Amino acid sequence: MDLGAGVKLLILDVDGVLTDGGLYYDHEGNVTKRFNVQDGLGIKIAQSFGLDIAVITGLKHGAVEKRVRELGIDEYHAGHVDKVPLMDAIRGRLELERSEVAYLGDDWVDAGVMGAVGLPMAVSNAQPEILALAKWISQRAGGHGAVREAVMFLLRCRGQYDAAWEKWS
């Protein structure tokens, strides 16, 4: 369990991690995204126990920005495929070492940053190459509670899970 004990920042990808990776088109051709409410509560729990959350995504989408802002995530960076410089900037602002950062990803665009953090994590339905890079893999698929699962894992590693449960039960 000490794998994530020193993690102070969890960085999330969006498509395939916070969402199920699907592109949903309405009757006018507009794309919408699907988010899991349990992931959202997991993020709020993490924040309440001092685990910082950041989002770095390759695509810009209004629905994603709205959801991220609703969750109170200040470190939101959209439209970036090269994620390592952003990860380094965020951890610099938070005065963290790379070993104190976890990243949850699912596809090739996440490979570089996964190799640069202390705890690379992957959703269960990630691409095989990403699964091979991960030190922790969720049981749930992206957009279906994998973020919540990752948060609960980190809280257990940090010795905060019982206090979190006690707060909500």
Side-chain angles (χ1 to χ4, degrees):
M1 281 297 199
D2 61 349
L3 182 64
V7 170
K8 297 178 181 174
L9 169 64
L10 172 60
I11 302 175
L12 305 170
D13 179 37
V14 174
D15 292 307
V17 174
L18 270 173
T19 75
D20 61 8
L23 296 175
Y24 300 89
Y25 288 86
D26 67 16
H27 67 283
E28 295 177 0
N30 299 310
V31 176
T32 61
K33 303 279 185 173
R34 178 195 166 280
F35 298 92
N36 184 298
V37 71
Q38 291 181 355
D39 286 341
L41 181 56
I43 288 168
K44 298 308 287 180
I45 292 168
Q47 293 165 328
S48 73
F49 279 86
L51 178 60
D52 286 315
I53 306 291
V55 171
I56 304 174
T57 179
L59 299 176
K60 289 184 179 183
H61 196 279
V64 174
E65 182 171 1
K66 181 168 178 54
R67 180 63 176 151
V68 168
R69 298 295 180 214
E70 286 174 347
L71 293 171
I73 299 171
D74 294 325
E75 290 286 357
Y76 169 62
H77 305 277
H80 298 278
V81 177
D82 185 3
K83 300 180 180 189
V84 175
L86 285 167
M87 179 273 300
D88 280 332
I90 295 166
R91 71 172 188 79
R93 283 190 289 278
L94 297 175
E95 299 180 354
L96 301 176
E97 299 296 323
R98 284 184 171 191
S99 62
E100 297 173 303
V101 180
Y103 182 91
L104 183 60
D106 74 307
D107 212 336
W108 287 15
V109 69
D110 303 312
V113 71
M114 287 179 70
V117 299
L119 181 55
M121 307 171 88
V123 297
S124 64
N125 61 325
Q127 291 299 305
E129 299 84 357
I130 298 304
L131 292 171
L133 293 174
K135 291 182 182 175
W136 180 88
I137 301 169
S138 68
Q139 292 182 0
R140 295 183 179 195
H144 294 279
V147 171
R148 174 70 168 269
E149 188 181 343
V151 166
M152 294 301 114
F153 170 78
L154 291 171
L155 290 179
R156 282 185 180 95
C157 291
R158 291 162 47 111
Q160 297 174 307
Y161 178 86
D162 291 339
W165 171 243
E166 194 171 302
K167 180 179 177 180
W168 289 86
S169 61

